[in-house]
Amino acid sequence: MATPQQPALKDITSAPASNAAVSRSRLCKLSAKNINFFYGSFQALYGISLDIEANKVTAFIGPSGCGKSTFLRTMNRMNEALRNTRVEGELLIDGENLLAMDVTYVRRRVGMVFQKSNPFPKTIFDNVAYGLRVNGVTKKSVIEEAVERSLTHAALWTEVKDKLQKPATALSGGQQQRLCIARALAVEPEVLLLDEPCSALDPIATLKIEELLFQIKDMTTIVIVTHNMQQAARLADRTGFFLLGKLIEIDDTRTIFQNPAKKETEDYVTGRFG
């Protein structure tokens, strides 16, 4: 809610341009400015520019190989693990240059969950505690509290609270994916990236993941890549459409699915190709 000293949201358009810019910057968590990405001599991304709004769910859709997962991994610099890759342009988090930061610091602020659940060969407890310990947290009570809190946020605590010393690999596929989300949440990331987190899950497990993401967006900014357009329509506040390494458009999800600005977007969401 706006304070008496600030214009209400509906009045922003009538405020001076400088005030509107300040208000907009407070809503923006991540910004990409003219991002180009190369695998060797192959260019995978072309001039990607967009803003990711804070405490919203942003979905990226598009056909396979269109660059959406490449761009997602660029946002927490996972692509640096690959040889002969190169990124051009600017990536900003809260106005700071993400590409110039220490990579460990970046990955604490920008967590990631992958398409295939990847629990470590450790206990359920140690999986969630891993990031805390890597970041130097040693106090037992602090770790225990964070593990319980993260598993609760991931809607998993009631299912595993009596099995914390059991192997994480004994969990079902849906539980393993929620465990990976809990592991990412344990270090309290400002942004959570998810690369097709439900693609290998059944409808019931998928619904649990979607409910979880909807519930935690007040504590973190969420960016999800999905091939499931119904999932994007259900879950996302904003949706971006990628095609052939380019961002064709990004807008409110309702607009993208009901009144897109670009013919390519309309053709994709109506099933004419893809």
Side-chain angles (χ1 to χ4, degrees):
M1 183 178 294
T3 63
Q5 294 77 26
Q6 295 174 319
L9 186 58
K10 61 183 175 60
D11 295 327
I12 284 176
T13 54
S14 62
S18 58
N19 289 343
V22 169
S23 298
R24 182 175 176 278
S25 69
R26 288 173 180 164
L27 293 172
C28 179
K29 187 66 183 178
L30 278 168
S31 289
K33 300 182 185 298
N34 197 33
I35 292 293
N36 298 301
F37 186 83
F38 300 82
Y39 295 102
S41 60
F42 172 72
Q43 186 168 357
L45 297 176
Y46 296 83
I48 307 296
S49 295
L50 57 79
D51 292 334
I52 302 294
E53 294 185 11
N55 299 107
K56 301 286 187 182
V57 178
T58 299
F60 295 151
I61 61 171
S64 296
C66 66
K68 55 191 186 296
S69 291
T70 295
F71 181 66
L72 193 78
R73 292 193 297 267
T74 299
M75 287 195 288
N76 85 332
R77 293 170 57 185
M78 288 297 299
N79 285 327
E80 292 182 10
L82 304 174
R83 296 181 61 186
N84 299 320
T85 59
R86 176 167 55 92
V87 61
E88 297 174 347
E90 285 188 307
L91 273 171
L92 307 177
I93 180 168
D94 292 334
E96 301 178 77
N97 184 1
L98 184 149
L99 298 176
M101 294 177 182
D102 176 77
V103 70
T104 302
Y105 179 59
V106 170
R107 291 176 188 166
R108 177 171 180 176
R109 296 182 69 179
V110 185
M112 188 157 186
V113 176
F114 297 92
Q115 179 176 2
K116 183 178 179 182
S117 58
N118 59 338
F120 300 147
K122 300 175 180 287
T123 66
I124 293 169
F125 183 94
D126 286 340
N127 262 269
V128 183
Y130 179 83
L132 297 164
R133 290 169 172 156
V134 166
N135 283 283
V137 179
T138 59
K139 191 173 182 180
K140 183 180 179 182
S141 61
V142 172
I143 293 175
E144 289 176 344
E145 180 182 344
V147 168
E148 180 175 348
R149 181 176 64 249
S150 301
L151 288 169
T152 299
H153 286 320
L156 194 58
W157 174 251
T158 57
E159 298 172 41
V160 303
K161 62 182 180 181
D162 298 321
K163 307 174 184 178
L164 295 178
Q165 299 308 316
K166 300 289 185 180
T169 51
L171 296 173
S172 70
Q175 288 175 322
Q176 287 186 20
Q177 193 64 298
R178 281 182 284 151
L179 177 68
C180 292
I181 293 173
R183 187 174 67 201
L185 291 176
V187 296
E188 300 181 343
E190 300 166 41
V191 180
L192 183 62
L193 311 176
L194 302 107
D195 191 0
E196 297 187 58
C198 303
S199 63
L201 303 181
D202 61 62
I204 294 175
T206 294
L207 179 61
K208 288 184 177 181
I209 296 291
E210 290 180 5
E211 290 175 343
L212 158 63
L213 296 179
F214 186 79
Q215 291 167 6
I216 65 173
K217 70 177 183 178
D218 63 336
M219 56 183 285
T220 187
T221 299
I222 297 170
V223 186
I224 180 171
V225 163
T226 178
H227 275 294
N228 186 330
M229 287 189 285
Q230 290 77 23
Q231 182 175 70
R234 288 191 301 265
L235 187 62
D237 300 288
R238 287 170 59 78
T239 296
F241 172 57
F242 280 72
L243 182 65
L244 299 176
K246 299 177 181 180
L247 177 66
I248 303 302
E249 66 177 300
I250 183 168
D251 209 326
D252 292 340
T253 295
R254 182 184 295 271
T255 300
I256 289 293
F257 284 98
Q258 295 184 1
N259 190 29
K262 303 291 186 179
K263 185 179 185 301
E264 299 97 322
T265 309
E266 181 182 0
D267 288 346
Y268 183 74
V269 300
T270 56
R272 292 176 190 165
F273 79 94

